[in-house]
Amino acid sequence: MAKNQITQLSIHPDAPFDFDYTAYSHGWVVLSPNVWNPERRELQRTERLAGGKVVSLLIQGPGSVEKPEIRIEVSHSGKLSAGQEQEILAAVAHMFRVDENFAEFYKLCKKQGRRWKNLARGLGRLLRSPSVFEDVVKTICTTNIQWGGTKRMVAALVETFGTAQDGNPAFKTFPTPHAIAEVPPERFGKMVSLGYRSDYIHLLARRVSSGELDLSALLDPAISTPELKKKLLAIKGVGNYAAATLLMLLGRYDELPVDSVFRQFVSKKYFNGERISDPEAQAIYAGWGKWKYLAYWFDIWEGFDEKV
DNA sequence: TTCCAGGGGTAGA
DNA sequence: TCTACCCATGGA
């Protein structure tokens, strides 16, 4: 077997950009196939390119917030074409939201004062997956289950339906829709313990694999947020909480992810632990306009102003 | 054993 | 639009 080649790629995002906080911004960093090394501050991930080639990515942020750089060490067999390099660069830029503009959010943060103004030094980007399919599947795996269960289910999907790189069987890609769709639904349910989510994820994989549903079209900025939410709610397994999470992953922060964590947090912090209605809880963030999700996220993530 | 989790679908009103 | 009820799975 030929030894894998290494190719170094690099992205230079506009400042301010904080690699560490973006990588570690929420639970996605520890969901397979992502592997985060906290000591070395590296994100490792195995990726399948459009033509089927499987590569391993080691993603680092050696620059500073003011002179940011995302460095990608690609381990691959054979030669990497210019098109494949572009594909990898685009995938990583998408994961780290290199093209998103947070100036308006930072303005609100500075106005808010105290700890909020710390966000304006390049935070606000929440890590996402290279594909919308992966983000929808992972989001469905966060519903009505504890976080440990989410990690278990996603890891099982990758282990069972992912593709390993030659010579590197320990790490696999996130499954393609086709890899899931080609297995009969009943068998799929038995192969990975996803509970009642199994049918939703298999149906999603079938619709995407057949071309009936184009999830990448959801990234179109021309779609209004209400219209986008409607499209998300039309996906079986996606309700209000999951739609708000997916809107965030698609770069829209208008909606709050109302789940048990949100309810408990707002009740404890703003209502002395009293039982409150969802509209009362949501009203806390009304002043943040189209940035409500981020306001809530950094309200609950108290550690953001310490080094991760 | 029972409860419930980073809820959602469906039927019926 | 709102409510009641059901839905697998596994940890606490």
Side-chain angles (χ1 to χ4, degrees):
Chain A
M1 191 183 303
K3 196 173 182 302
N4 278 336
Q5 310 285 310
I6 298 291
T7 299
Q8 301 282 355
L9 301 175
S10 191
I11 299 172
H12 295 276
D14 288 337
F17 176 92
D18 193 309
F19 175 85
D20 289 353
Y21 279 116
T22 303
Y24 205 75
S25 51
H26 67 134
W28 255 221
V29 73
V30 294
L31 286 185
S32 192
N34 291 337
V35 180
W36 173 249
N37 182 325
E39 282 78 36
R40 298 178 59 86
R41 326 189 79 69
E42 291 172 347
L43 181 62
Q44 195 271 338
R45 178 181 169 96
T46 304
E47 194 64 23
R48 181 194 178 96
L49 304 182
K53 192 184 191 77
V54 175
V55 298
S56 176
L57 311 179
L58 191 59
I59 309 168
Q60 303 164 306
S64 64
V65 170
E66 291 310 320
K67 287 189 79 176
E69 180 186 358
I70 302 174
R71 200 171 290 169
I72 312 156
E73 186 181 296
V74 187
S75 164
H76 57 94
S77 61
K79 190 173 160 38
L80 211 54
S81 72
Q84 287 169 331
E85 289 187 6
Q86 284 307 312
E87 190 182 343
I88 293 166
L89 287 167
V92 175
H94 180 83
M95 288 177 74
F96 284 80
R97 303 183 191 249
V98 167
D99 292 332
E100 265 186 53
N101 188 328
F102 292 87
E104 195 184 314
F105 176 59
Y106 293 159
K107 210 169 165 182
L108 278 174
C109 290
K110 285 176 182 167
K111 203 172 156 191
Q112 196 76 13
R114 304 190 308 279
R115 61 195 283 268
W116 291 98
K117 60 180 188 292
N118 293 329
L119 291 172
R121 59 163 205 266
L123 278 68
R125 293 180 171 82
L126 272 61
L127 189 72
R128 56 185 176 183
S129 306
S131 77
V132 179
F133 175 70
E134 181 176 332
D135 275 342
V136 176
V137 171
K138 286 181 169 175
T139 300
I140 290 175
C141 287
T142 66
T143 60
N144 200 20
I145 197 160
Q146 291 174 328
W147 183 243
T150 300
K151 288 196 280 188
R152 172 185 56 77
M153 292 191 294
V154 173
L157 278 169
V158 170
E159 178 57 34
T160 312
F161 294 99
T163 311
Q165 186 186 24
D166 281 347
N168 200 0
F171 300 106
K172 293 183 177 177
T173 62
F174 192 80
T176 60
H178 178 70
I180 293 173
E182 69 178 356
V183 176
E186 306 75 36
R187 188 148 165 259
F188 175 68
K190 286 178 184 157
M191 290 172 82
V192 278
S193 299
L194 305 180
Y196 60 83
R197 302 162 200 83
S198 169
D199 288 344
Y200 300 146
I201 289 171
H202 196 272
L203 174 62
L204 176 74
R206 288 204 306 276
R207 293 183 67 202
V208 174
S209 178
S210 70
E212 177 201 333
L213 181 63
D214 178 12
L215 288 175
S216 62
L218 300 179
L219 288 163
D220 184 353
I223 306 176
S224 72
T225 301
E227 196 184 339
L228 190 54
K229 186 182 178 187
K230 208 169 158 185
K231 287 176 187 289
L232 291 168
L233 288 172
I235 299 171
K236 295 263 188 208
V238 174
N240 283 323
Y241 153 79
T245 302
L246 284 164
L247 282 171
M248 172 277 283
L249 291 164
L250 293 166
R252 320 280 183 118
Y253 305 100
D254 315 51
E255 302 267 337
L256 290 157
V258 180
D259 58 7
S260 58
V261 174
F262 175 83
R263 293 186 180 102
Q264 282 169 30
F265 170 73
V266 175
S267 164
K268 192 176 169 193
K269 179 159 182 179
Y270 297 100
F271 295 92
N272 263 333
E274 286 173 34
R275 197 180 175 84
I276 46 164
S277 70
D278 288 347
E280 281 177 302
Q282 287 169 288
I284 291 293
Y285 300 100
W288 288 87
K290 61 185 263 198
W291 302 98
K292 288 191 274 293
Y293 190 108
L294 290 182
Y296 159 61
W297 193 254
F298 288 100
D299 200 14
I300 198 168
W301 184 19
E302 293 193 339
F304 75 74
D305 44 7
E306 298 155 17
K307 205 64 185 167
V308 292

